[in-house]
Amino acid sequence: MVEGSDVTVIANGSAGESIRAAETLEAEGISVRVVDMHTVKPLDRDAVRRAAVETGAIVVAEEHLVDGGLGVRVAQAVAETQPCPMEFVGIHDTYAESGEPAELLDKYGLVARDVIAAIRKVLARKR
């Protein structure tokens, strides 16, 4: 965890891309905390609450459908403990197909540039 971070990315399956996004934004002076939330259930509600309190903005990045995935569970915990602006990176309104992992991540918007876009969007709402 990075002390004094501007935003937290809670990642599930997308931790590598989230870390790449954090490294890219660090060069611009934007501090990103990345939490690898490897399980959806049980959810580490305390880590979610701390992220909301300490950074005041959360992006959930997951290699899963946005509807019914980690983002929904994190949003519920945030609403119940410490509301803050949130954005979601994941698969929207479709089911993924088979293919090369890198190509699929790019096709479904799950790469570092997509995490960066969500971070910029949530930070604009935070300010």
Side-chain angles (χ1 to χ4, degrees), residues 62-127:
E62 60 184 312
E63 291 178 12
H64 188 274
L65 293 168
V66 172
D67 295 330
L70 176 66
V72 171
R73 300 287 319 277
V74 170
Q76 181 181 24
V78 166
E80 292 172 351
T81 63
Q82 181 67 38
C84 71
M86 293 184 66
E87 288 294 328
F88 305 89
V89 177
I91 300 172
H92 296 271
D93 300 324
T94 187
Y95 288 94
E97 59 196 68
S98 297
E100 293 298 316
E103 292 173 359
L104 293 172
L105 291 174
D106 185 53
K107 177 177 181 172
Y108 293 107
L110 306 174
V111 295
R113 75 167 177 272
D114 303 298
V115 176
I116 290 169
I119 290 169
R120 292 186 192 287
K121 191 173 180 181
V122 80
L123 286 175
R125 290 179 37 226
K126 178 181 174 183
R127 296 182 175 139

Short mmCIF file of all heavy atoms in Angstrom, two decimals, residues 62-127:
data_model
loop_
_atom_site.label_atom_id
_atom_site.label_comp_id
_atom_site.label_asym_id
_atom_site.label_seq_id
_atom_site.Cartn_x
_atom_site.Cartn_y
_atom_site.Cartn_z
N GLU A 62 -11.48 -5.62 -12.75
CA GLU A 62 -11.64 -7.07 -12.64
C GLU A 62 -11.77 -7.72 -14.00
O GLU A 62 -12.34 -7.15 -14.92
CB GLU A 62 -12.84 -7.41 -11.78
CG GLU A 62 -14.16 -6.89 -12.30
CD GLU A 62 -15.31 -7.17 -11.34
OE1 GLU A 62 -15.44 -8.32 -10.88
OE2 GLU A 62 -16.07 -6.24 -11.07
N GLU A 63 -11.25 -8.93 -14.11
CA GLU A 63 -11.39 -9.73 -15.31
C GLU A 63 -12.67 -10.55 -15.17
O GLU A 63 -12.64 -11.78 -15.04
CB GLU A 63 -10.17 -10.63 -15.51
CG GLU A 63 -8.92 -9.84 -15.85
CD GLU A 63 -7.70 -10.73 -15.99
OE1 GLU A 63 -7.84 -11.97 -16.05
OE2 GLU A 63 -6.59 -10.18 -16.02
N HIS A 64 -13.79 -9.84 -15.18
CA HIS A 64 -15.08 -10.47 -14.92
C HIS A 64 -16.15 -9.51 -15.42
O HIS A 64 -15.88 -8.35 -15.70
CB HIS A 64 -15.23 -10.70 -13.41
CG HIS A 64 -16.43 -11.51 -13.03
ND1 HIS A 64 -17.67 -10.96 -12.85
CD2 HIS A 64 -16.55 -12.83 -12.78
CE1 HIS A 64 -18.53 -11.92 -12.51
NE2 HIS A 64 -17.86 -13.06 -12.46
N LEU A 65 -17.37 -9.99 -15.49
CA LEU A 65 -18.49 -9.11 -15.79
C LEU A 65 -18.64 -8.08 -14.68
O LEU A 65 -18.54 -8.42 -13.50
CB LEU A 65 -19.78 -9.91 -15.90
CG LEU A 65 -19.88 -10.88 -17.08
CD1 LEU A 65 -21.07 -11.81 -16.90
CD2 LEU A 65 -19.96 -10.13 -18.38
N VAL A 66 -18.86 -6.84 -15.05
CA VAL A 66 -19.04 -5.78 -14.06
C VAL A 66 -20.30 -6.06 -13.24
O VAL A 66 -20.31 -5.87 -12.02
CB VAL A 66 -19.11 -4.40 -14.74
CG1 VAL A 66 -19.49 -3.32 -13.75
CG2 VAL A 66 -17.76 -4.07 -15.37
N ASP A 67 -21.35 -6.53 -13.88
CA ASP A 67 -22.59 -6.86 -13.17
C ASP A 67 -22.41 -8.15 -12.41
O ASP A 67 -22.20 -9.21 -12.99
CB ASP A 67 -23.75 -7.01 -14.15
CG ASP A 67 -24.09 -5.70 -14.86
OD1 ASP A 67 -23.88 -4.64 -14.27
OD2 ASP A 67 -24.54 -5.76 -16.02
N GLY A 68 -22.48 -8.06 -11.09
CA GLY A 68 -22.41 -9.25 -10.26
C GLY A 68 -21.02 -9.68 -9.85
O GLY A 68 -20.86 -10.73 -9.24
N GLY A 69 -20.03 -8.89 -10.14
CA GLY A 69 -18.66 -9.27 -9.80
C GLY A 69 -18.15 -8.56 -8.56
O GLY A 69 -18.91 -8.13 -7.68
N LEU A 70 -16.83 -8.42 -8.50
CA LEU A 70 -16.18 -7.78 -7.37
C LEU A 70 -16.66 -6.35 -7.17
O LEU A 70 -16.87 -5.92 -6.04
CB LEU A 70 -14.66 -7.80 -7.56
CG LEU A 70 -13.84 -7.08 -6.49
CD1 LEU A 70 -13.96 -7.79 -5.14
CD2 LEU A 70 -12.38 -6.99 -6.92
N GLY A 71 -16.84 -5.63 -8.26
CA GLY A 71 -17.26 -4.23 -8.15
C GLY A 71 -18.55 -4.05 -7.38
O GLY A 71 -18.69 -3.11 -6.59
N VAL A 72 -19.49 -4.93 -7.59
CA VAL A 72 -20.77 -4.86 -6.88
C VAL A 72 -20.55 -5.06 -5.38
O VAL A 72 -21.10 -4.34 -4.55
CB VAL A 72 -21.76 -5.91 -7.44
CG1 VAL A 72 -23.00 -6.01 -6.58
CG2 VAL A 72 -22.13 -5.57 -8.87
N ARG A 73 -19.72 -6.04 -5.04
CA ARG A 73 -19.43 -6.31 -3.62
C ARG A 73 -18.69 -5.15 -2.97
O ARG A 73 -18.98 -4.75 -1.85
CB ARG A 73 -18.61 -7.59 -3.47
CG ARG A 73 -19.25 -8.86 -4.00
CD ARG A 73 -20.39 -9.40 -3.14
NE ARG A 73 -20.17 -9.34 -1.72
CZ ARG A 73 -19.50 -10.22 -0.98
NH1 ARG A 73 -18.93 -11.27 -1.56
NH2 ARG A 73 -19.39 -10.08 0.32
N VAL A 74 -17.71 -4.57 -3.69
CA VAL A 74 -16.97 -3.43 -3.16
C VAL A 74 -17.89 -2.23 -3.01
O VAL A 74 -17.86 -1.54 -1.99
CB VAL A 74 -15.75 -3.09 -4.05
CG1 VAL A 74 -15.11 -1.77 -3.64
CG2 VAL A 74 -14.72 -4.22 -3.99
N ALA A 75 -18.74 -1.98 -4.00
CA ALA A 75 -19.66 -0.85 -3.93
C ALA A 75 -20.60 -0.98 -2.73
O ALA A 75 -20.90 0.01 -2.05
CB ALA A 75 -20.46 -0.74 -5.22
N GLN A 76 -21.04 -2.18 -2.46
CA GLN A 76 -21.91 -2.41 -1.30
C GLN A 76 -21.16 -2.08 -0.01
O GLN A 76 -21.69 -1.38 0.86
CB GLN A 76 -22.39 -3.85 -1.27
CG GLN A 76 -23.30 -4.17 -0.11
CD GLN A 76 -23.73 -5.62 -0.10
OE1 GLN A 76 -23.04 -6.50 -0.66
NE2 GLN A 76 -24.85 -5.90 0.52
N ALA A 77 -19.93 -2.54 0.10
CA ALA A 77 -19.13 -2.26 1.30
C ALA A 77 -18.85 -0.76 1.44
O ALA A 77 -18.93 -0.21 2.54
CB ALA A 77 -17.82 -3.04 1.26
N VAL A 78 -18.58 -0.09 0.33
CA VAL A 78 -18.32 1.35 0.35
C VAL A 78 -19.58 2.10 0.79
O VAL A 78 -19.52 3.00 1.63
CB VAL A 78 -17.81 1.84 -1.03
CG1 VAL A 78 -17.85 3.36 -1.14
CG2 VAL A 78 -16.40 1.32 -1.29
N ALA A 79 -20.72 1.72 0.23
CA ALA A 79 -21.97 2.38 0.59
C ALA A 79 -22.30 2.22 2.07
O ALA A 79 -22.83 3.14 2.70
CB ALA A 79 -23.12 1.84 -0.26
N GLU A 80 -21.95 1.08 2.62
CA GLU A 80 -22.27 0.79 4.01
C GLU A 80 -21.25 1.35 5.01
O GLU A 80 -21.57 1.52 6.18
CB GLU A 80 -22.39 -0.72 4.22
CG GLU A 80 -23.58 -1.32 3.52
CD GLU A 80 -23.61 -2.84 3.56
OE1 GLU A 80 -22.61 -3.47 4.00
OE2 GLU A 80 -24.63 -3.40 3.14
N THR A 81 -20.03 1.63 4.55
CA THR A 81 -18.98 2.04 5.49
C THR A 81 -18.44 3.43 5.28
O THR A 81 -18.28 4.19 6.23
CB THR A 81 -17.80 1.05 5.46
OG1 THR A 81 -17.20 1.06 4.16
CG2 THR A 81 -18.23 -0.35 5.84
N GLN A 82 -18.11 3.79 4.03
CA GLN A 82 -17.47 5.08 3.75
C GLN A 82 -17.70 5.45 2.29
O GLN A 82 -16.85 5.19 1.45
CB GLN A 82 -15.97 5.00 4.05
CG GLN A 82 -15.20 6.28 3.81
CD GLN A 82 -15.58 7.37 4.78
OE1 GLN A 82 -15.83 7.12 5.95
NE2 GLN A 82 -15.64 8.60 4.29
N PRO A 83 -18.84 6.05 1.97
CA PRO A 83 -19.11 6.40 0.57
C PRO A 83 -18.02 7.28 -0.03
O PRO A 83 -17.49 8.17 0.63
CB PRO A 83 -20.44 7.13 0.65
CG PRO A 83 -21.10 6.58 1.88
CD PRO A 83 -19.95 6.37 2.85
N CYS A 84 -17.69 6.99 -1.29
CA CYS A 84 -16.72 7.78 -2.04
C CYS A 84 -16.96 7.52 -3.53
O CYS A 84 -17.63 6.56 -3.89
CB CYS A 84 -15.29 7.41 -1.64
SG CYS A 84 -14.72 5.79 -2.18
N PRO A 85 -16.41 8.37 -4.41
CA PRO A 85 -16.55 8.13 -5.85
C PRO A 85 -15.91 6.80 -6.25
O PRO A 85 -14.85 6.44 -5.73
CB PRO A 85 -15.81 9.30 -6.49
CG PRO A 85 -15.73 10.35 -5.44
CD PRO A 85 -15.68 9.62 -4.13
N MET A 86 -16.57 6.10 -7.18
CA MET A 86 -16.06 4.82 -7.67
C MET A 86 -16.22 4.74 -9.18
O MET A 86 -17.12 5.34 -9.75
CB MET A 86 -16.83 3.65 -7.04
CG MET A 86 -16.61 3.48 -5.55
SD MET A 86 -17.46 2.00 -4.93
CE MET A 86 -16.53 0.72 -5.78
N GLU A 87 -15.33 3.97 -9.81
CA GLU A 87 -15.41 3.63 -11.23
C GLU A 87 -15.12 2.14 -11.36
O GLU A 87 -14.52 1.53 -10.46
CB GLU A 87 -14.42 4.44 -12.07
CG GLU A 87 -14.78 5.90 -12.23
CD GLU A 87 -16.06 6.12 -13.02
OE1 GLU A 87 -16.36 5.32 -13.92
OE2 GLU A 87 -16.75 7.11 -12.72
N PHE A 88 -15.53 1.56 -12.49
CA PHE A 88 -15.45 0.12 -12.67
C PHE A 88 -14.85 -0.23 -14.03
O PHE A 88 -15.30 0.29 -15.05
CB PHE A 88 -16.85 -0.50 -12.56
CG PHE A 88 -17.52 -0.14 -11.26
CD1 PHE A 88 -18.29 1.01 -11.17
CD2 PHE A 88 -17.34 -0.91 -10.13
CE1 PHE A 88 -18.89 1.38 -9.97
CE2 PHE A 88 -17.93 -0.55 -8.92
CZ PHE A 88 -18.71 0.60 -8.84
N VAL A 89 -13.83 -1.09 -14.02
CA VAL A 89 -13.22 -1.61 -15.23
C VAL A 89 -13.49 -3.10 -15.25
O VAL A 89 -13.12 -3.81 -14.31
CB VAL A 89 -11.69 -1.34 -15.24
CG1 VAL A 89 -11.04 -1.96 -16.48
CG2 VAL A 89 -11.40 0.15 -15.15
N GLY A 90 -14.17 -3.55 -16.29
CA GLY A 90 -14.51 -4.97 -16.40
C GLY A 90 -15.26 -5.20 -17.69
O GLY A 90 -15.36 -4.31 -18.53
N ILE A 91 -15.79 -6.37 -17.83
CA ILE A 91 -16.53 -6.73 -19.04
C ILE A 91 -17.96 -6.22 -18.90
O ILE A 91 -18.64 -6.49 -17.92
CB ILE A 91 -16.50 -8.25 -19.27
CG1 ILE A 91 -15.05 -8.71 -19.43
CG2 ILE A 91 -17.32 -8.62 -20.50
CD1 ILE A 91 -14.87 -10.21 -19.48
N HIS A 92 -18.42 -5.48 -19.92
CA HIS A 92 -19.75 -4.88 -19.91
C HIS A 92 -20.66 -5.56 -20.93
O HIS A 92 -20.31 -5.68 -22.09
CB HIS A 92 -19.66 -3.38 -20.27
CG HIS A 92 -18.90 -2.59 -19.26
ND1 HIS A 92 -19.50 -2.01 -18.16
CD2 HIS A 92 -17.59 -2.28 -19.17
CE1 HIS A 92 -18.59 -1.37 -17.45
NE2 HIS A 92 -17.42 -1.53 -18.04
N ASP A 93 -21.82 -5.98 -20.48
CA ASP A 93 -22.92 -6.41 -21.34
C ASP A 93 -22.56 -7.44 -22.40
O ASP A 93 -23.10 -7.41 -23.51
CB ASP A 93 -23.54 -5.19 -22.03
CG ASP A 93 -24.08 -4.19 -21.04
OD1 ASP A 93 -24.60 -4.63 -20.00
OD2 ASP A 93 -23.96 -2.98 -21.28
N THR A 94 -21.66 -8.34 -22.11
CA THR A 94 -21.32 -9.39 -23.07
C THR A 94 -20.64 -10.52 -22.32
O THR A 94 -20.26 -10.38 -21.16
CB THR A 94 -20.41 -8.86 -24.19
OG1 THR A 94 -20.25 -9.87 -25.18
CG2 THR A 94 -19.04 -8.44 -23.67
N TYR A 95 -20.47 -11.61 -22.97
CA TYR A 95 -19.68 -12.71 -22.43
C TYR A 95 -18.42 -12.82 -23.27
O TYR A 95 -18.46 -12.68 -24.49
CB TYR A 95 -20.46 -14.03 -22.45
CG TYR A 95 -21.55 -14.04 -21.41
CD1 TYR A 95 -22.84 -13.65 -21.73
CD2 TYR A 95 -21.26 -14.40 -20.10
CE1 TYR A 95 -23.83 -13.64 -20.76
CE2 TYR A 95 -22.25 -14.39 -19.13
CZ TYR A 95 -23.53 -14.01 -19.47
OH TYR A 95 -24.51 -14.00 -18.51
N ALA A 96 -17.31 -13.07 -22.61
CA ALA A 96 -16.03 -13.13 -23.31
C ALA A 96 -15.96 -14.39 -24.18
O ALA A 96 -16.64 -15.37 -23.93
CB ALA A 96 -14.89 -13.12 -22.31
N GLU A 97 -15.10 -14.31 -25.16
CA GLU A 97 -14.86 -15.45 -26.05
C GLU A 97 -13.47 -16.01 -25.77
O GLU A 97 -12.72 -15.46 -24.98
CB GLU A 97 -14.99 -14.99 -27.50
CG GLU A 97 -14.01 -13.88 -27.84
CD GLU A 97 -14.36 -13.15 -29.11
OE1 GLU A 97 -15.38 -12.46 -29.12
OE2 GLU A 97 -13.59 -13.28 -30.07
N SER A 98 -13.13 -17.07 -26.43
CA SER A 98 -11.81 -17.66 -26.29
C SER A 98 -10.83 -16.97 -27.20
O SER A 98 -11.20 -16.43 -28.24
CB SER A 98 -11.85 -19.16 -26.63
OG SER A 98 -12.70 -19.83 -25.74
N GLY A 99 -9.56 -16.98 -26.81
CA GLY A 99 -8.51 -16.39 -27.62
C GLY A 99 -7.25 -16.19 -26.83
O GLY A 99 -7.12 -16.68 -25.70
N GLU A 100 -6.31 -15.48 -27.41
CA GLU A 100 -5.05 -15.17 -26.74
C GLU A 100 -5.31 -14.20 -25.59
O GLU A 100 -6.01 -13.19 -25.79
CB GLU A 100 -4.06 -14.56 -27.73
CG GLU A 100 -3.59 -15.53 -28.79
CD GLU A 100 -2.86 -16.73 -28.21
OE1 GLU A 100 -2.03 -16.54 -27.30
OE2 GLU A 100 -3.14 -17.86 -28.65
N PRO A 101 -4.78 -14.48 -24.43
CA PRO A 101 -5.06 -13.63 -23.25
C PRO A 101 -4.83 -12.13 -23.48
O PRO A 101 -5.69 -11.32 -23.15
CB PRO A 101 -4.12 -14.19 -22.18
CG PRO A 101 -3.95 -15.62 -22.56
CD PRO A 101 -3.93 -15.63 -24.07
N ALA A 102 -3.69 -11.76 -24.03
CA ALA A 102 -3.39 -10.34 -24.23
C ALA A 102 -4.41 -9.68 -25.17
O ALA A 102 -4.85 -8.55 -24.94
CB ALA A 102 -1.98 -10.15 -24.75
N GLU A 103 -4.78 -10.39 -26.23
CA GLU A 103 -5.76 -9.85 -27.17
C GLU A 103 -7.13 -9.69 -26.53
O GLU A 103 -7.84 -8.72 -26.78
CB GLU A 103 -5.85 -10.75 -28.41
CG GLU A 103 -4.61 -10.73 -29.26
CD GLU A 103 -4.64 -11.74 -30.38
OE1 GLU A 103 -5.64 -12.50 -30.51
OE2 GLU A 103 -3.66 -11.79 -31.14
N LEU A 104 -7.52 -10.66 -25.71
CA LEU A 104 -8.82 -10.59 -25.04
C LEU A 104 -8.86 -9.45 -24.01
O LEU A 104 -9.86 -8.74 -23.92
CB LEU A 104 -9.16 -11.93 -24.38
CG LEU A 104 -9.41 -13.08 -25.35
CD1 LEU A 104 -9.55 -14.38 -24.58
CD2 LEU A 104 -10.63 -12.81 -26.21
N LEU A 105 -7.79 -9.29 -23.25
CA LEU A 105 -7.74 -8.19 -22.28
C LEU A 105 -7.90 -6.86 -23.00
O LEU A 105 -8.64 -5.97 -22.55
CB LEU A 105 -6.43 -8.23 -21.50
CG LEU A 105 -6.27 -9.38 -20.52
CD1 LEU A 105 -4.87 -9.38 -19.93
CD2 LEU A 105 -7.31 -9.33 -19.43
N ASP A 106 -7.22 -6.71 -24.13
CA ASP A 106 -7.32 -5.48 -24.91
C ASP A 106 -8.73 -5.30 -25.48
O ASP A 106 -9.34 -4.24 -25.36
CB ASP A 106 -6.28 -5.48 -26.02
CG ASP A 106 -6.26 -4.17 -26.79
OD1 ASP A 106 -6.14 -3.10 -26.15
OD2 ASP A 106 -6.38 -4.20 -28.03
N LYS A 107 -9.28 -6.35 -26.06
CA LYS A 107 -10.61 -6.29 -26.68
C LYS A 107 -11.69 -5.88 -25.69
O LYS A 107 -12.58 -5.10 -26.02
CB LYS A 107 -10.98 -7.64 -27.30
CG LYS A 107 -12.37 -7.65 -27.90
CD LYS A 107 -12.71 -8.96 -28.56
CE LYS A 107 -14.09 -8.89 -29.16
NZ LYS A 107 -14.41 -10.05 -29.97
N TYR A 108 -11.61 -6.39 -24.47
CA TYR A 108 -12.66 -6.14 -23.49
C TYR A 108 -12.35 -4.98 -22.55
O TYR A 108 -13.06 -4.77 -21.57
CB TYR A 108 -12.97 -7.42 -22.71
CG TYR A 108 -13.61 -8.45 -23.61
CD1 TYR A 108 -12.90 -9.57 -24.03
CD2 TYR A 108 -14.90 -8.28 -24.09
CE1 TYR A 108 -13.48 -10.50 -24.88
CE2 TYR A 108 -15.48 -9.19 -24.95
CZ TYR A 108 -14.77 -10.31 -25.34
OH TYR A 108 -15.34 -11.21 -26.19
N GLY A 109 -11.31 -4.21 -22.87
CA GLY A 109 -11.03 -3.00 -22.09
C GLY A 109 -10.50 -3.26 -20.70
O GLY A 109 -10.90 -2.60 -19.75
N LEU A 110 -9.59 -4.23 -20.59
CA LEU A 110 -9.08 -4.62 -19.29
C LEU A 110 -7.58 -4.39 -19.14
O LEU A 110 -6.93 -5.02 -18.32
CB LEU A 110 -9.40 -6.11 -19.05
CG LEU A 110 -10.86 -6.51 -19.20
CD1 LEU A 110 -11.01 -8.01 -19.09
CD2 LEU A 110 -11.72 -5.81 -18.18
N VAL A 111 -7.02 -3.48 -19.94
CA VAL A 111 -5.58 -3.22 -19.89
C VAL A 111 -5.29 -1.90 -19.17
O VAL A 111 -6.21 -1.16 -18.82
CB VAL A 111 -4.96 -3.23 -21.31
CG1 VAL A 111 -5.07 -4.63 -21.93
CG2 VAL A 111 -5.62 -2.21 -22.21
N ALA A 112 -4.02 -1.64 -18.97
CA ALA A 112 -3.60 -0.48 -18.18
C ALA A 112 -4.23 0.82 -18.67
O ALA A 112 -4.66 1.64 -17.85
CB ALA A 112 -2.07 -0.37 -18.20
N ARG A 113 -4.34 1.03 -19.97
CA ARG A 113 -4.91 2.30 -20.46
C ARG A 113 -6.37 2.47 -20.01
O ARG A 113 -6.84 3.57 -19.77
CB ARG A 113 -4.78 2.44 -21.97
CG ARG A 113 -5.74 1.61 -22.76
CD ARG A 113 -5.84 1.98 -24.24
NE ARG A 113 -6.74 1.05 -24.84
CZ ARG A 113 -6.39 -0.12 -25.34
NH1 ARG A 113 -5.14 -0.49 -25.36
NH2 ARG A 113 -7.31 -0.93 -25.83
N ASP A 114 -7.08 1.35 -19.88
CA ASP A 114 -8.48 1.40 -19.43
C ASP A 114 -8.55 1.70 -17.93
O ASP A 114 -9.43 2.43 -17.48
CB ASP A 114 -9.19 0.09 -19.76
CG ASP A 114 -9.11 -0.21 -21.25
OD1 ASP A 114 -9.65 0.58 -22.04
OD2 ASP A 114 -8.49 -1.23 -21.61
N VAL A 115 -7.62 1.15 -17.17
CA VAL A 115 -7.54 1.45 -15.74
C VAL A 115 -7.18 2.92 -15.56
O VAL A 115 -7.77 3.62 -14.73
CB VAL A 115 -6.53 0.52 -15.04
CG1 VAL A 115 -6.38 0.90 -13.57
CG2 VAL A 115 -6.95 -0.95 -15.18
N ILE A 116 -6.24 3.41 -16.37
CA ILE A 116 -5.85 4.83 -16.31
C ILE A 116 -7.04 5.73 -16.60
O ILE A 116 -7.27 6.72 -15.90
CB ILE A 116 -4.68 5.12 -17.28
CG1 ILE A 116 -3.40 4.46 -16.74
CG2 ILE A 116 -4.49 6.61 -17.48
CD1 ILE A 116 -2.26 4.45 -17.73
N ALA A 117 -7.82 5.40 -17.62
CA ALA A 117 -9.00 6.20 -17.95
C ALA A 117 -9.98 6.24 -16.78
O ALA A 117 -10.54 7.30 -16.46
CB ALA A 117 -9.68 5.66 -19.21
N ALA A 118 -10.19 5.10 -16.13
CA ALA A 118 -11.10 5.05 -14.98
C ALA A 118 -10.54 5.85 -13.81
O ALA A 118 -11.29 6.54 -13.10
CB ALA A 118 -11.36 3.60 -14.57
N ILE A 119 -9.23 5.78 -13.60
CA ILE A 119 -8.61 6.56 -12.53
C ILE A 119 -8.80 8.05 -12.78
O ILE A 119 -9.17 8.80 -11.87
CB ILE A 119 -7.11 6.21 -12.39
CG1 ILE A 119 -6.96 4.79 -11.81
CG2 ILE A 119 -6.38 7.23 -11.52
CD1 ILE A 119 -5.54 4.24 -11.89
N ARG A 120 -8.55 8.49 -13.99
CA ARG A 120 -8.73 9.92 -14.31
C ARG A 120 -10.18 10.34 -14.09
O ARG A 120 -10.45 11.42 -13.57
CB ARG A 120 -8.30 10.20 -15.75
CG ARG A 120 -6.81 10.05 -15.99
CD ARG A 120 -6.45 10.50 -17.40
NE ARG A 120 -5.11 10.14 -17.77
CZ ARG A 120 -4.00 10.71 -17.31
NH1 ARG A 120 -4.08 11.68 -16.44
NH2 ARG A 120 -2.81 10.31 -17.73
N LYS A 121 -11.10 9.49 -14.47
CA LYS A 121 -12.53 9.80 -14.31
C LYS A 121 -12.93 9.90 -12.85
O LYS A 121 -13.62 10.85 -12.44
CB LYS A 121 -13.36 8.73 -15.03
CG LYS A 121 -14.82 9.04 -15.16
CD LYS A 121 -15.50 8.00 -16.03
CE LYS A 121 -16.96 8.28 -16.19
NZ LYS A 121 -17.65 7.27 -16.99
N VAL A 122 -12.47 8.96 -12.03
CA VAL A 122 -12.84 9.00 -10.61
C VAL A 122 -12.16 10.16 -9.90
O VAL A 122 -12.75 10.78 -9.02
CB VAL A 122 -12.57 7.65 -9.92
CG1 VAL A 122 -11.13 7.46 -9.52
CG2 VAL A 122 -13.47 7.49 -8.71
N LEU A 123 -10.92 10.48 -10.29
CA LEU A 123 -10.24 11.62 -9.66
C LEU A 123 -10.92 12.94 -10.00
O LEU A 123 -10.99 13.84 -9.17
CB LEU A 123 -8.76 11.66 -10.05
CG LEU A 123 -7.89 10.61 -9.38
CD1 LEU A 123 -6.47 10.67 -9.93
CD2 LEU A 123 -7.90 10.75 -7.86
N ALA A 124 -11.45 13.06 -11.21
CA ALA A 124 -12.19 14.27 -11.58
C ALA A 124 -13.44 14.42 -10.71
O ALA A 124 -13.81 15.54 -10.34
CB ALA A 124 -12.58 14.22 -13.06
N ARG A 125 -14.06 13.32 -10.36
CA ARG A 125 -15.25 13.36 -9.51
C ARG A 125 -14.87 13.60 -8.05
O ARG A 125 -15.65 14.16 -7.29
CB ARG A 125 -16.03 12.06 -9.64
CG ARG A 125 -16.68 11.97 -11.03
CD ARG A 125 -17.47 10.71 -11.28
NE ARG A 125 -18.18 10.23 -10.14
CZ ARG A 125 -18.19 8.95 -9.75
NH1 ARG A 125 -17.48 8.05 -10.40
NH2 ARG A 125 -18.90 8.57 -8.72
N LYS A 126 -13.68 13.16 -7.67
CA LYS A 126 -13.23 13.33 -6.28
C LYS A 126 -12.98 14.79 -5.95
O LYS A 126 -13.26 15.25 -4.86
CB LYS A 126 -11.95 12.52 -6.06
CG LYS A 126 -11.34 12.64 -4.68
CD LYS A 126 -10.07 11.83 -4.57
CE LYS A 126 -9.37 12.07 -3.26
NZ LYS A 126 -8.10 11.34 -3.18
N ARG A 127 -12.47 15.54 -6.89
CA ARG A 127 -12.07 16.93 -6.65
C ARG A 127 -13.23 17.80 -6.65
O ARG A 127 -13.98 18.34 -6.36
CB ARG A 127 -11.09 17.36 -7.72
CG ARG A 127 -9.85 16.53 -7.56
CD ARG A 127 -8.78 16.89 -8.52
NE ARG A 127 -7.66 16.07 -8.12
CZ ARG A 127 -6.86 15.46 -8.93
NH1 ARG A 127 -6.98 15.59 -10.20
NH2 ARG A 127 -5.88 14.72 -8.51
#
